[in-house]
């Protein structure tokens, strides 16, 4: 005796009888939807087909609810302003839930709490769900988003289904992942890793409803006091409650592609990493692909879209945040970008720092928490000069002038934009076989003491270099101040299993049958006196080459 569910199939507004639609879906998906409907009690159910018409209908709905406003200066761009209490990933409320604690996190001797992830028992996770989810979607639509991480024709890709009560999440997932009917069709065929027909990662998401009163920001409902993000790697399940922002709610990204992904990769013998992928072609036309791991908001997007100043060099972008990679039959490391879009940090992006991003983001883009200009455009700190006569509204909707004491855009404000719009997107960025990787870079924000670049002696030393990474905290999560934190492999908030096992896994990649890539550590955030001297020296050397 569940709620009355009005079902919509695809973008049509004709209600379709519940059983006729749900019974068409693979059994595991049918069960997942039915269980979640019983728990969350939505008023409507909508299975997404991913079409343009469906997207237009959802954008209309978001405009009506004032979740987004149009940006008439650009083509098909919108601005969302979140609740000021829901602006970044919430690492302290993000948990890996396993039967045995040691499978999820390392437990340092003499301490009960490690720094590399939070663990919760499966029983406590069930309790957390029972305290938050019953009836949480009342009055809202539950959207069913079938999505693929990676190109649909790639054996490296994995499927997921996210259930969510946020239309903003649907529109963002449509940019960040491949969604819709094609994914449903693929769910009907056996999965490449031997998981059988209909295998997918289950992802349940609700923006929630505060227990003690009405939602504070009706245009951006959330429940910041009870936000929780749970991962069950033994069941390939994600459950996220209370936040509609970024990595907390676009569950294909950090939750699936990194936390659940790293745990699947551990089981299946490959690597899921927090890395950009780019191709560099030298003046002789020799092309090599490189992956690079930097923590969130440390310039992965800028590097992935670099315009080289060295004459004759060309950079092309495959991905800016996540890589799935494995050694092929010939021992060559190959990588795919499991994503379909860029969720990039806006502040600091300009014609000087990242002209390629500036040529990417002003079409078909959802901006969140940037400032708005009176001529229907966007503005953020570090963007190019303001045109005369234009006034600014800050990310919270208040008037703003350059003399204001608060920033115009939130430091973790983002653009969510289709990767295919990037003018230097690599010709092979969607290749089902991935691209061959020759080098791995590790780096972080280190204002002093760490050199510009050094190379690891060998694979083992390279793993050590990745493991000993540190970086200054950024606005991508809830950290205050600029403390230098350990951030091994730039994965500190994203490990899906015990870091000790993760290190063993990385070490086990080197076998007599494979060609391991070169490993380097880099740091272009150094600000101390020696830097200018070093830069002058390097420029002189390059000129002399
Ligand atoms: O909010 S996200 O996790 O998607 C972005 C990031 O922190 O890299
Ligand atoms: Mn990231």
């Amino acid at each position: 005796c569940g709620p009355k569910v009005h079902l919509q199939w695809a973008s049509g507004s004709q209600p379709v009888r519940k059983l006729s639609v749900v019974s068409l879906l693979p059994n595991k998906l049918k069960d997942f939807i039915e269980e979640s409907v019983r728990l969350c009690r939505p008023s409507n159910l909508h299975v997404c087909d991913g079409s343009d018409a469906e997207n237009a209908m959802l954008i209309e709905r978001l405009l009506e609810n004032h979740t987004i406003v149009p940006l008439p200066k650009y083509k098909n761009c919108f601005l969302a302003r979140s609740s000021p209490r829901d602006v970044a990933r919430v690492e302290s409320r993000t948990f890996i839930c396993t039967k045995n604690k040691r499978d999820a996190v390392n437990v340092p001797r003499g301490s009960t709490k490690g720094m590399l992830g939070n663990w919760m028992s499966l029983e406590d996770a069930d309790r957390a769900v029972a305290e938050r989810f019953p009836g949480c979607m009342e009055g809202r639509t539950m959207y069913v988003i079938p999505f693929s991480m990676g190109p649909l024709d790639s054996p490296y890709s994995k499927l997921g289904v996210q259930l969510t009560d946020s239309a903003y999440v649907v529109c963002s997932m449509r940019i960040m992942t491949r969604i819709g009917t094609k994914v449903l069709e693929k769910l009907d065929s056996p999965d490449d890793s031997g998981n059988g027909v209909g295998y997918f990662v289950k992802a349940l998401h609700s923006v929630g409803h505060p227990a003690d009163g009405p939602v504070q920001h009706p245009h951006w409902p959330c429940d910041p006091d009870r936000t929780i993000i749970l991962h069950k790697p033994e069941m390939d399940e994600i459950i996220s409650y209370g936040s509609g922002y970024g990595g907390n709610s676009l569950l294909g990204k950090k939750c699936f592609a990194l936390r659940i992904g790293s745990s699947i990769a551990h089981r299946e013998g490959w690597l899921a990493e927090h890395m950009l992928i780019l191709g560099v072609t030298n003046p002789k036309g020799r092309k090599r692909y490189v992956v690079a791991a930097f923590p969130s908001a440390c310039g992965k997007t800028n590097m992935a879209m670099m315009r080289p100043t060295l004459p004759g060099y060309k950079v092309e972008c495959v991905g800016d945040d996540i890589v799935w990679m494995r050694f092929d039959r010939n021992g060559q490391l190959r990588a795919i970008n499991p994503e379909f879009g860029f969720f990039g940090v806006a502040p600091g992006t300009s014609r000087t720092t990242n002209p390629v991003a500036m040529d990417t983001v002003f079409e078909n883009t959802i901006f969140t928490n940037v400032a708005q200009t009176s001529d229907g455009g966007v503005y953020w700190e570090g963007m190019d000069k303001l045109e005369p006569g234009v006034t600014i509204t800050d990310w919270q909707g208040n008037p703003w002038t350059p003399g204001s004491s608060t920033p115009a855009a939130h430091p973790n404000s983002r653009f969510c934009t289709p990767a295919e719009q990037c003018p230097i997107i690599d010709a092979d960025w969607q290749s089902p076989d991935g691209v061959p990787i020759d080098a791995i870079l590790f780096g972080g924000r280190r204002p002093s003491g760490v050199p510009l670049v050094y190379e690891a002696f060998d694979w083992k030393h390279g793993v050590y270099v990745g493991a000993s990474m540190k970086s200054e905290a950024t606005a991508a999560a809830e950290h205050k101040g600029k403390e230098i934190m350990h951030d091994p492999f730039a994965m500190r908030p994203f490990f899906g299993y015990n870091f000790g096992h993760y290190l063993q896994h990385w070490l086990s990649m080197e076998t007599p049958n494979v060609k391991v890539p070169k490993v380097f550590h880099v740091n272009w955030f150094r600000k101390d006196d020696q830097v200018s001297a070093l830069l002058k020296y390097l420029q002189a050397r390059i000129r002399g080459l």
Side-chain angles (χ1 to χ4, degrees):
C1 55
K4 251 185 144 191
V5 172
H6 164 86
L7 270 144
Q8 290 175 347
W9 173 246
S11 53
S13 54
Q14 293 292 316
V16 181
R17 269 181 304 120
K18 179 176 175 177
L19 282 174
S20 67
V21 175
V22 176
S23 64
L24 290 176
L25 301 174
N27 277 342
K28 189 182 160 197
L29 176 53
K30 202 166 66 181
D31 294 348
F32 179 40
I33 296 173
E34 286 179 349
E35 264 166 40
S36 307
V37 164
R38 271 196 296 276
L39 178 65
C40 306
R41 302 196 290 271
S43 308
N44 289 296
L45 185 72
H46 178 115
V47 182
C48 298
D49 67 356
S51 66
D52 289 346
E54 175 183 78
N55 189 56
M57 183 270 289
L58 293 174
I59 291 286
E60 210 42 56
R61 216 172 263 185
L62 288 168
L63 287 167
E64 271 164 30
N65 295 340
H66 308 287
T67 307
I68 57 172
V69 294
L71 294 167
K73 189 167 175 181
Y74 320 118
K75 200 171 148 206
N76 196 29
C77 289
F78 302 92
L79 165 63
R81 290 193 185 100
S82 78
S83 153
R85 293 193 60 203
D86 188 18
V87 291
R89 278 185 291 101
V90 195
E91 291 178 4
S92 58
R93 315 273 193 87
T94 300
F95 297 89
I96 308 295
C97 312
T98 50
K99 213 160 142 229
N100 301 310
K101 184 172 182 179
R102 268 182 201 279
D103 291 338
V105 292
N106 54 320
V107 185
R109 202 169 292 147
S111 151
T112 49
K113 196 167 166 359
M115 295 298 288
L116 302 173
N118 304 312
W119 174 81
M120 189 183 275
S121 71
L122 293 167
E123 294 72 29
D124 284 351
D126 287 347
R127 220 163 289 137
V129 170
E131 281 165 13
R132 290 164 175 81
F133 275 87
C136 66
M137 295 189 188
E138 265 163 24
R140 298 190 188 132
T141 297
M142 175 190 278
Y143 300 96
V144 179
I145 317 171
F147 66 96
S148 173
M149 297 314 291
L152 270 147
D153 56 351
S154 171
Y156 292 39
S157 300
K158 301 271 172 211
L159 304 184
V161 176
Q162 177 164 349
L163 310 182
T164 179
D165 53 3
S166 162
Y168 164 88
V169 165
V170 181
C171 295
S172 306
M173 282 290 285
R174 183 172 185 264
I175 296 172
M176 294 307 299
T177 70
R178 294 143 176 104
I179 75 164
T181 310
K182 283 200 207 89
V183 181
L184 277 185
E185 282 162 14
K186 200 174 170 205
L187 269 176
D188 265 338
S189 50
D191 136 295
D192 290 299
S193 310
N195 288 308
V197 177
Y199 168 83
F200 63 91
V201 170
K202 287 186 191 177
L204 174 61
H205 169 249
S206 172
V207 292
H209 198 103
D212 55 354
V215 289
Q216 267 194 330
H217 299 270
H219 71 282
W220 190 276
C222 57
D223 189 359
D225 290 330
R226 298 192 299 164
T227 292
I228 199 159
I229 297 119
L230 306 169
H231 305 72
K232 299 183 182 173
E234 287 147 346
M235 295 149 210
D236 292 347
E237 253 180 72
I238 303 156
I239 305 170
S240 166
Y241 174 92
S243 162
Y245 201 84
N248 299 332
S249 70
L250 312 181
L251 302 186
K253 200 169 180 46
K254 303 296 154 97
C255 299
F256 182 163
L258 289 180
R259 297 194 192 95
I260 295 293
S262 64
S263 141
I264 298 176
H266 184 217
R267 282 195 315 254
E268 295 183 355
W270 49 279
L271 299 167
E273 301 297 331
H274 193 202
M275 293 174 170
L276 65 89
I277 318 171
L278 58 77
V280 199
T281 309
N282 74 7
K284 293 189 185 122
R286 173 76 164 96
K287 185 167 187 178
R288 291 186 186 274
Y289 289 93
V290 172
V291 291
F294 303 94
S296 300
C298 285
K300 281 195 297 301
T301 308
N302 287 4
M303 186 179 175
M305 297 183 186
M306 190 164 59
R307 278 216 182 129
T309 49
L310 289 179
Y313 279 83
K314 185 160 99 179
V315 165
E316 285 157 296
C317 173
V318 177
D320 79 328
D321 197 37
I322 296 173
V323 59
W324 283 359
M325 56 187 178
R326 61 179 72 186
F327 288 97
D328 68 11
R329 252 184 257 116
N330 305 318
Q332 172 65 50
L333 185 60
R334 305 193 72 89
I336 64 158
N337 169 11
E339 300 192 280
F340 200 44
F342 304 124
F343 188 67
V345 177
T349 309
S350 71
R351 294 232 72 87
T352 322
T353 59
N354 193 342
V356 175
M358 295 299 273
D359 288 338
T360 306
V361 302
F362 295 114
E363 239 182 84
N364 309 316
T365 296
I366 301 177
F367 295 91
T368 306
N369 289 344
V370 300
Q372 192 182 8
T373 58
S374 51
D375 61 347
V378 290
Y379 178 75
W380 50 73
E381 274 64 27
M383 201 181 180
D384 308 297
K385 266 215 287 316
L386 273 174
E387 279 161 41
V390 167
T391 57
I392 308 274
T393 305
D394 75 7
W395 69 277
Q396 301 197 62
N398 303 314
W400 185 92
T401 59
S404 298
S405 57
T406 50
H410 187 279
N412 193 37
S413 55
R414 301 274 174 161
F415 50 78
C416 181
T417 198
E420 66 186 353
Q421 287 181 193
C422 175
I424 61 159
I425 199 77
D426 193 79
D428 282 337
W429 84 281
Q430 305 208 66
S431 163
D433 301 324
V435 293
I437 301 299
D438 284 320
I440 298 177
L441 269 53
F442 292 117
R445 240 173 230 271
R446 300 299 300 272
S448 65
V450 175
L452 184 64
V453 57
Y454 60 89
E455 183 179 351
F457 298 119
D458 54 23
W459 182 253
K460 279 197 190 73
H461 183 223
V463 175
Y464 173 82
V465 168
S468 53
M469 269 169 67
K470 286 183 173 188
S471 190
E472 201 175 73
T474 68
E478 76 267 45
H479 305 288
K480 300 269 177 309
K482 291 201 161 188
E483 54 180 319
I484 304 279
M485 302 168 79
H486 271 288
D487 196 343
F489 296 81
M491 283 283 284
R492 182 187 48 74
F494 307 124
F495 293 111
Y497 64 102
N498 185 313
F499 176 59
H501 305 163
Y502 172 95
L503 283 181
Q504 277 166 356
H505 184 54
W506 262 78
L507 289 170
S508 77
M509 288 289 131
E510 185 179 35
T511 67
N513 306 325
V514 308
K515 188 176 109 232
V516 288
K518 291 186 173 208
V519 180
F520 300 86
H521 188 282
V522 296
N523 174 33
W524 31 80
F525 288 93
R526 194 161 162 182
K527 291 178 186 151
D528 55 19
D529 291 346
Q530 290 172 27
V531 171
S532 48
L534 177 69
L535 282 177
K536 273 193 203 127
Y537 167 76
L538 285 173
Q539 276 160 1
R541 284 293 302 272
I542 287 166
R543 268 198 297 273
L545 282 178

